[in-house]
């Protein structure tokens, strides 16, 4: 298993959790973005810079990931593509996205896009809370521990 991070919009606190987890579990973690993401010096941490442009980082993650890899993203279309490829998806608040819930999430995203296109202010996501950070860390640890137990 490798970890791929949709790093352009990934909160700093989540990146820091990932830095520690990659070192602790000795697992490759690549931060994909259209700008260099500074990581601590480690053989397990990499920054992959892609060209500027809409969804360029997302397309690169889908291209590079393989079944069983873990992708960290809050981008629902990216999550859907990764799930279709057999990857695991965890959002920055610790919610696991899967075949069972991605359709509902895509529908809600499309609905909200329609509202915004109609001029309705839908607001944005709430700020990351301590509980969100803890949920992410617990969910990440659970997935990494499960991956260690598999042959």
């Amino acid at each position: 298993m490798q970890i791929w991070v949709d790093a352009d919009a990934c909160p700093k606190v989540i990146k820091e959790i990932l830095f520690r987890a990659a070192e602790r579990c000795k697992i490759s973690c690549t931060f994909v973005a259209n700008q260099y993401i500074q990581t601590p010096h480690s053989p397990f941490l990499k920054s992959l810079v892609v060209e500027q442009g809409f969804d360029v980082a997302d397309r690169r993650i889908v291209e590079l990931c393989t079944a069983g890899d873990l992708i960290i993203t809050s981008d629902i279309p990216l999550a859907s593509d990764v799930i279709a490829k057999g990857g695991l998806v965890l959002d920055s608040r610790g919610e696991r996205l899967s075949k069972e819930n991605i359709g509902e999430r895509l529908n809600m995203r499309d609905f909200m896009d329609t509202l915004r296109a109609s001029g309705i202010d839908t607001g944005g996501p709430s700020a990351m809370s301590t509980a969100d950070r803890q949920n992410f860390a617990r969910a990440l640890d659970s997935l990494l521990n499960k991956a260690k137990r598999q042959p």
Side-chain angles (χ1 to χ4, degrees), residues 7 20 30 44 53 58 66 68 89 112 119 124:
R20 292 189 300 272
T30 304
F44 305 106
D58 298 355
T66 60
V89 179
M112 298 301 275

Side-chain angles (χ1 to χ4, degrees), residues 8 32 34 50-62:
D8 285 321
V32 183
N34 58 24
V50 297
E51 295 176 21
Q52 296 286 329
F54 186 70
D55 288 341
V56 175
D58 298 355
R59 286 192 301 272
R60 188 73 171 137
I61 290 169
V62 172

Side-chain angles (χ1 to χ4, degrees), residues 77-119:
L78 170 58
S80 180
D81 290 345
V82 166
I83 290 166
K85 198 169 176 182
L88 307 170
V89 179
L90 187 63
D91 78 8
S92 60
R93 294 177 190 266
E95 181 179 358
R96 172 85 188 276
L97 301 175
S98 65
K99 288 179 184 177
E100 291 73 31
N101 65 11
I102 195 64
E104 177 184 326
R105 295 291 297 269
L106 279 167
N107 288 338
M108 181 57 75
R109 178 194 174 274
D110 292 344
F111 175 69
M112 298 301 275
D113 277 350
T114 301
L115 289 177
R116 284 188 289 274
S118 300

Side-chain angles (χ1 to χ4, degrees), residues 2 13 19 21 34 46 52 83-84 88-89 91 120 130 140:
Q2 285 194 64
V13 67
F19 295 158
N34 58 24
K46 294 181 247 169
Q52 296 286 329
I83 290 166
L88 307 170
V89 179
D91 78 8
I120 297 172
T130 301
L140 178 65

